[in-house]
Amino acid sequence: MGNFDATAPVIIGVGEASRKTIAGEWPAPRDLAGAAIKIALADTGQAQAVSAAIDTIAAIRTFEDSGVSLGTGSPDNAPEAFGAAGGITAKRLIYADVGGQSPQATLNELAGDIRRGRCEMAVLVAAEATGTAKRARKAGISLDWSVASDTPLDNRLSSFPILSRTEIRHGVISMPLAYSMIENARRMALGLNADAYAREMAALWSAFSAKAETRAHAQFPGFRSPEALQSDDNANYLLTDIYRRWHVAQDAVDLGGAVILTSAGKARELGVPQDKWVWLAGAAVAAEPPLSERAVIHRSAALDFAIPAALDQAGLSATELGPVDIYSCFPCAVFAAVDSMQDAGRALGDYTLTGGLSFFGGPGNGYAVYNIAAMVDALRRDGSKPALVTANGGVMSKQAVGIYTAAQPAIAWSGDVAKGYAPTPRALDDAPQGKARVRSFVRSAGKDGFGPATLLLETEGGARAMAVIDCPVDVDLGNAVVAVTPGEKRHIATLVG
């Protein structure tokens, strides 16, 4: 490499912590965050100098502050509290928005700030102790994780719609239900029956479970065969017509993670060994409207934009990549990247570095901090090929992508994040009447069997609509024609013919 790129953003330290490695029976998120920060500082090889240079702490929003409260409370200023637990302070404090895209999206932003000289040294930190909170609730123990503060912070909380009112009215009230609709749409697009598609999901998740065994902080390690993932064993009960328990992100975790980034020039000035550095070579973000209003529902058009856009910034193709970690809250989130990347030579287990959110664990909004840490580990071991990390929020609603290299990129990253995706929402008919075709569906599962199916429809006029149908479970509703009657709360469908 000819000229040294002194303003280029580089990761210089990563750290992870879990209940496996910290003391105490009831760790709070700040305990896990503090431990991870200290490990990340030590990882730089210049902890004292790096600590003194930190001017920004960005904390990923906890589930407790994302509308999913377990009654533990939380700090008034999470980035300040997490930093204090790790022995650091900063003038600039950011509390990131809701969504799994948040860590990679925030890192992209901070890297741009570093490139433009607006930030010297930043710490990105995440922590969840949902496992502890659930254990405490079961044991009847009250936890108080609040910390008072009046320090100003940049508190980001958008009103981005994850589920539309129409979707909620028709029974799509959880992420497993929403993602099941994407999964069924993909199954229909591939022309597979339910059993064949179940085998495809099981093969993917089995490969992911094997990779979880390689990560020290994996919360649910242990190889699971494709057969086991299709059975009722190990409490692998049905959640929907297409998902079982181990298909979905497992949130009962106790995890903390931290990433430290600065400019290459600052890293050199502080004496951080160059074999620690990992460079950002490309970045992209994209967002979608609610699922029922998307032109494409069987894959992610946002990811179809973001992966190629980030690769293009780095001057790379998908087949040139080495380490890859695709955000993996549900199988279709991974399949969306598989379909987009079109890398026939990549094994299923090589779409993860951690084992994913079912087996490494699903720490609220923060998983991508851990896949970034795993990516750094991988590039430090073998930097011969660049790496890709994706992060996903909502119902595949918000995507963030990063391309990384172990050496200075051949094409200098400009500092600008690719943001050119502009979806065109489909019109949604709120009073559908007459015939319509099923474009996807989902049935919830419970102890008493399956409930009515929620349908995502395309009317004869070309609009989208939603309805509910009560029909035998063994009826495959894919591409079925139904008659719809509008209702005040829910629209009702019946099979035609």
Side-chain angles (χ1 to χ4, degrees):
M1 187 64 60
N3 296 323
F4 177 66
D5 190 354
T7 64
V10 293
I11 294 172
I12 59 171
V14 293
E16 296 176 82
S18 66
R19 245 187 99 220
K20 298 177 181 182
T21 56
I22 68 170
E25 181 67 16
W26 310 103
R30 67 178 179 275
D31 300 322
L32 293 154
I37 289 170
K38 290 175 182 176
I39 293 166
L41 287 168
D43 184 52
T44 68
Q46 296 289 344
Q48 187 172 351
V50 168
S51 178
I54 292 166
D55 57 14
T56 301
I57 301 172
I60 301 307
R61 189 170 295 271
T62 63
F63 254 20
E64 186 70 19
D65 291 336
S66 302
V68 191
S69 175
L70 286 172
T72 61
S74 59
D76 292 343
N77 189 322
E80 179 184 56
F82 288 4
I88 61 172
T89 60
K91 292 181 179 178
R92 184 187 183 198
L93 302 170
I94 299 170
Y95 201 23
D97 199 3
V98 172
Q101 82 295 335
S102 186
Q104 183 62 56
T106 304
L107 187 146
N108 290 347
E109 176 191 343
L110 295 172
D113 289 345
I114 288 167
R115 170 63 92 180
R116 288 181 282 272
R118 298 173 185 168
C119 173
E120 185 170 68
M121 183 81 66
V123 174
L124 179 67
V125 58
E128 291 285 355
T130 311
T132 290
K134 288 184 175 183
R135 286 189 299 107
R137 175 175 282 190
K138 189 174 181 179
I141 293 173
S142 179
L143 299 174
D144 182 4
W145 291 340
S146 61
V147 179
S149 175
D150 56 7
T151 305
L153 78 160
D154 181 0
N155 190 12
R156 303 174 178 181
L157 187 59
S158 70
S159 56
F160 188 94
I162 301 302
L163 296 169
S164 73
R165 291 184 178 181
T166 299
E167 292 163 359
I168 293 169
R169 271 183 20 234
H170 287 86
V172 183
I173 57 173
S174 70
M175 292 298 101
L177 289 167
Y179 274 85
S180 289
M181 298 199 83
I182 299 174
E183 211 79 68
N184 270 321
R186 185 175 184 272
R187 176 181 71 79
M188 291 159 56
L190 292 172
L192 298 177
N193 63 31
D195 288 341
Y197 195 76
R199 289 193 292 272
E200 193 168 283
M201 292 192 299
L204 177 68
W205 248 220
S206 178
F208 272 46
S209 74
K211 194 61 71 72
E213 294 190 296
T214 69
R215 298 303 293 174
H217 297 283
Q219 303 288 281
F220 309 99
F223 174 72
R224 291 163 173 84
S225 70
E227 294 74 24
L229 288 165
Q230 296 174 79
S231 78
D232 294 327
D233 296 342
N234 195 23
N236 193 32
Y237 46 81
L238 285 165
L239 297 174
T240 72
D241 59 298
I242 201 164
Y243 284 152
R244 292 179 174 273
R245 176 195 174 194
W246 288 106
H247 284 128
V248 310
Q250 303 296 313
D251 66 0
V253 303
D254 296 293
L255 286 165
V259 177
I260 302 174
L261 60 159
T262 188
S263 67
K266 189 66 177 179
R268 175 184 277 183
E269 174 193 326
L270 297 182
V272 177
Q274 195 159 338
D275 60 3
K276 295 279 189 182
W277 306 2
V278 168
W279 307 64
L280 185 66
V285 296
E288 293 271 34
L291 177 62
S292 58
E293 300 170 29
R294 293 177 199 168
V296 177
I297 57 175
H298 68 280
R299 58 189 293 157
S300 171
L303 205 56
D304 286 344
F305 163 82
I307 289 177
L311 285 168
D312 185 63
Q313 286 190 339
L316 297 168
S317 66
T319 56
E320 295 177 90
L321 293 167
V324 167
D325 192 278
I326 305 301
Y327 194 95
S328 48
C329 48
F330 299 89
C332 62
V334 179
F335 285 135
V338 174
D339 295 342
S340 179
M341 290 170 65
Q342 291 292 299
D343 183 0
R346 182 172 290 272
L348 291 178
D350 290 337
Y351 286 97
T352 184
L353 298 170
T354 68
L357 284 83
S358 292
F359 308 114
F360 178 81
N365 302 312
Y367 168 77
V369 169
Y370 307 95
N371 73 0
I372 291 169
M375 174 275 303
V376 169
D377 289 345
L379 284 182
R380 285 175 176 174
R381 287 193 304 270
D382 180 0
S384 60
K385 292 184 178 181
L388 176 145
V389 164
T390 75
N392 161 40
V395 187
M396 280 165 49
S397 311
K398 297 181 277 188
Q399 302 288 347
V401 175
I403 307 296
Y404 297 90
T405 59
Q408 184 173 316
I411 300 173
W413 183 59
S414 67
D416 295 325
V417 179
K419 299 178 179 180
Y421 178 63
T424 303
R426 291 286 296 273
L428 192 65
D429 188 344
D430 278 330
Q433 187 153 16
K435 290 183 179 180
R437 188 172 294 277
V438 176
R439 293 307 183 198
S440 192
F441 65 95
V442 61
R443 292 184 176 95
S444 63
K447 293 181 180 178
D448 299 324
F450 291 98
T454 297
L455 308 180
L456 181 54
L457 304 168
E458 188 168 307
T459 68
E460 290 185 310
R464 286 283 171 73
M466 297 195 75
V468 172
I469 189 169
D470 201 349
C471 67
V473 173
D474 60 357
V475 174
D476 187 348
L477 293 166
N479 291 313
V481 176
V482 298
V484 186
T485 303
E488 185 176 341
K489 291 185 178 179
R490 290 182 172 185
H491 312 315
I492 305 299
T494 55
L495 289 167
V496 173

